[in-house]
Amino acid sequence: MILDYETLKMIWWLFVGVLLVGFALSDGFDMGVGTLLPFVGRSDDERRVVINTIGPTWEGNQVWFITAGGAVFAAWPLVYAAAFSGFYVALILTLFALFLRPVGFDYRSKVTDPRWRSTWDWCLFIGGTVPAIVFGVAFGNLLQGVPFQYDDTMRVAYTGGFFALLNPFGLIAGVLSLAMLVMHGGAYLQLRTEGGIQARARLGTRIAAVLAIALFVAAGFWVATSLVGYRITQMPEAGSVFTPLAKTVERAAGAWMDNYGRHPWMWAAPAAGLAGAALVLVVRGGPAFLASGLSVAGIILTAGFSMFPFVMPSSLDPRSSLTVWDAVSSQRTLQIMFWVVVIMLPIVLVYTGWVYRVLRGKLTVASVRERQHTAY
């Protein structure tokens, strides 16, 4: 089956969205647990329990992040080149924070010195907190537009800097990202632990859920009323091959709300983001984890629906903005990768489900002590 170019462009927008949501739902709760680690574990044994809830699976979950980066490279090469150039310092900061996770998990319990273990606990905290904030700040800046542009020979130039990313809206988005992942991680801890750890995780989950609701509403109001968005006013046929400079784009306050007027069903995404976080406040166990996952997916989809078809808007030259229609690889490349995803993604999902089924159940201080030489 040969799909037309326009359909493939849409499919790959959906695929990248699925990978980003999958990363947030899986590796996201790992990061949330890492952020909560120093606060929900009052003793060394309790912190070992917390670490062991994610220790066997965090590496597999992080593959979603690597796969999402690979998909962007293969499907949207112009986005990959511009984003990794413009956000270079932020990405390096994220990378170094992520480096702390494998060594933290592997070396934390090798030495019994409390100072050694406390140091690695805080390293795991950094490894969970910093990436969560940076990812949110990046999305916040995408909604505002990134200072890059193409010249007539399609050479890209970026004029921004790292500290320019730390603007008020970007910081709100960063804290929102952290809050929603802490909420998700706390809900997971409630599902896997008991006693004092579970109670403290529930408190952390509730605080994060309230913060996520407040920041999501505040950011939504900002986007709807005053944040300058982007809209395409003219472009070639969506199924044709054309460069970003072949279209015209205008900037206008509230433009990011256009899609919700044309497609009212998109309101389901922000509704899910708010409803899921609200449910986390009143339910426990498995339902709380499902509710937090619903909220995370809803918040991410809200950003995606608002920006569509833009992927990386340009604040310097709106015409240079990268979209689903003009930032993609060739039709043949998208077609080949389409079948790879169709075959491999179900296998990955089935295997992941099997792993979590095998590792299901509560973890306690006693169970970790029984597996003293095999547990983290």
Side-chain angles (χ1 to χ4, degrees):
M1 179 176 65
I2 304 298
L3 299 173
D4 64 85
Y5 202 15
E6 181 178 355
T7 300
L8 283 169
K9 292 176 181 182
M10 277 295 305
I11 287 174
W12 273 97
W13 178 77
L14 292 171
F15 278 167
V16 173
V18 167
L19 289 172
L20 290 175
V21 171
F23 163 65
L25 291 177
S26 56
D27 207 31
F29 72 72
D30 288 349
M31 293 179 182
V33 169
T35 301
L36 288 170
L37 172 62
F39 309 106
V40 299
R42 296 288 176 81
S43 65
D44 180 66
D45 283 334
E46 287 188 344
R47 291 184 179 185
R48 289 191 69 197
V49 170
V50 172
I51 290 171
N52 276 275
T53 62
I54 58 174
T57 56
W58 75 269
E59 286 179 291
N61 291 339
Q62 193 159 290
V63 170
W64 284 91
F65 175 53
I66 299 169
T67 305
V72 171
F73 171 76
W76 295 338
L78 295 181
V79 175
Y80 184 90
F84 276 69
S85 297
F87 296 148
Y88 183 78
V89 175
L91 289 169
I92 288 295
L93 178 64
T94 301
L95 185 63
F96 275 89
L98 291 174
F99 283 165
L100 297 174
R101 301 180 76 196
V103 288
F105 283 115
D106 290 339
Y107 290 109
R108 188 248 182 215
S109 295
K110 299 296 185 183
V111 178
T112 57
D113 186 345
R115 292 171 298 179
W116 170 271
R117 294 190 171 187
S118 178
T119 298
W120 286 115
D121 289 340
W122 285 105
C123 285
L124 291 173
F125 167 83
I126 294 171
T129 304
V130 171
I133 294 175
V134 171
F135 294 144
V137 168
F139 267 97
N141 279 274
L142 286 176
L143 284 164
Q144 296 175 90
V146 182
F148 75 97
Q149 63 181 348
Y150 289 98
D151 63 18
D152 292 336
T153 61
M154 287 301 295
R155 290 183 298 181
V156 65
Y158 180 85
T159 62
F162 172 73
F163 291 104
L165 300 175
L166 305 180
N167 53 75
F169 187 81
L171 291 174
I172 286 179
V175 179
L176 170 59
S177 174
L178 177 63
M180 75 176 189
L181 296 187
V182 169
M183 172 185 67
H184 196 39
Y188 182 73
L189 279 179
Q190 292 180 61
L191 188 64
R192 298 296 311 278
T193 61
E194 296 177 344
I197 301 174
Q198 186 183 61
R200 291 187 287 273
R202 178 161 178 76
L203 176 61
T205 304
R206 286 180 163 182
I207 294 173
V210 171
L211 186 59
I213 291 172
L215 291 174
F216 189 42
V217 171
F221 182 77
W222 194 336
V223 168
T225 59
S226 59
L227 190 73
V228 174
Y230 295 72
R231 60 170 66 102
I232 296 175
T233 57
Q234 186 179 2
M235 75 171 195
E237 179 64 33
S240 63
V241 179
F242 60 97
T243 68
L245 298 180
K247 65 180 181 299
T248 57
V249 176
E250 69 174 7
R251 303 173 74 224
W256 288 140
M257 303 302 295
D258 289 355
N259 286 335
Y260 296 97
R262 287 191 292 265
H263 309 288
W265 60 267
M266 288 185 175
W267 285 103
L274 292 173
L279 282 173
V280 168
L281 298 173
V282 297
V283 297
R284 301 188 179 192
F289 184 63
L290 292 175
S292 68
L294 176 67
S295 180
V296 169
I299 291 171
I300 295 174
L301 289 174
T302 298
F305 289 163
S306 299
M307 291 179 61
F308 181 85
F310 290 90
V311 179
M312 191 172 176
S314 169
S315 58
L316 279 184
D317 175 23
R319 194 173 56 131
S320 295
S321 299
L322 300 174
T323 72
V324 171
W325 313 123
D326 54 29
V328 296
S329 295
S330 68
Q331 182 175 359
R332 181 176 178 80
T333 299
L334 297 183
Q335 181 78 51
I336 293 172
M337 292 195 304
F338 167 78
W339 288 112
V340 172
V341 172
V342 167
I343 295 170
M344 298 303 299
L345 185 59
I347 296 173
V348 171
L349 292 175
V350 170
Y351 173 74
T352 301
W354 175 79
V355 168
Y356 278 99
R357 175 176 171 79
V358 170
L359 296 174
R360 70 188 184 280
K362 300 283 188 180
L363 283 170
T364 64
V365 170
S367 66
V368 170
R369 285 176 176 173
E370 287 175 5
R371 297 183 289 114
Q372 187 70 24
H373 300 293
T374 58
Y376 285 88

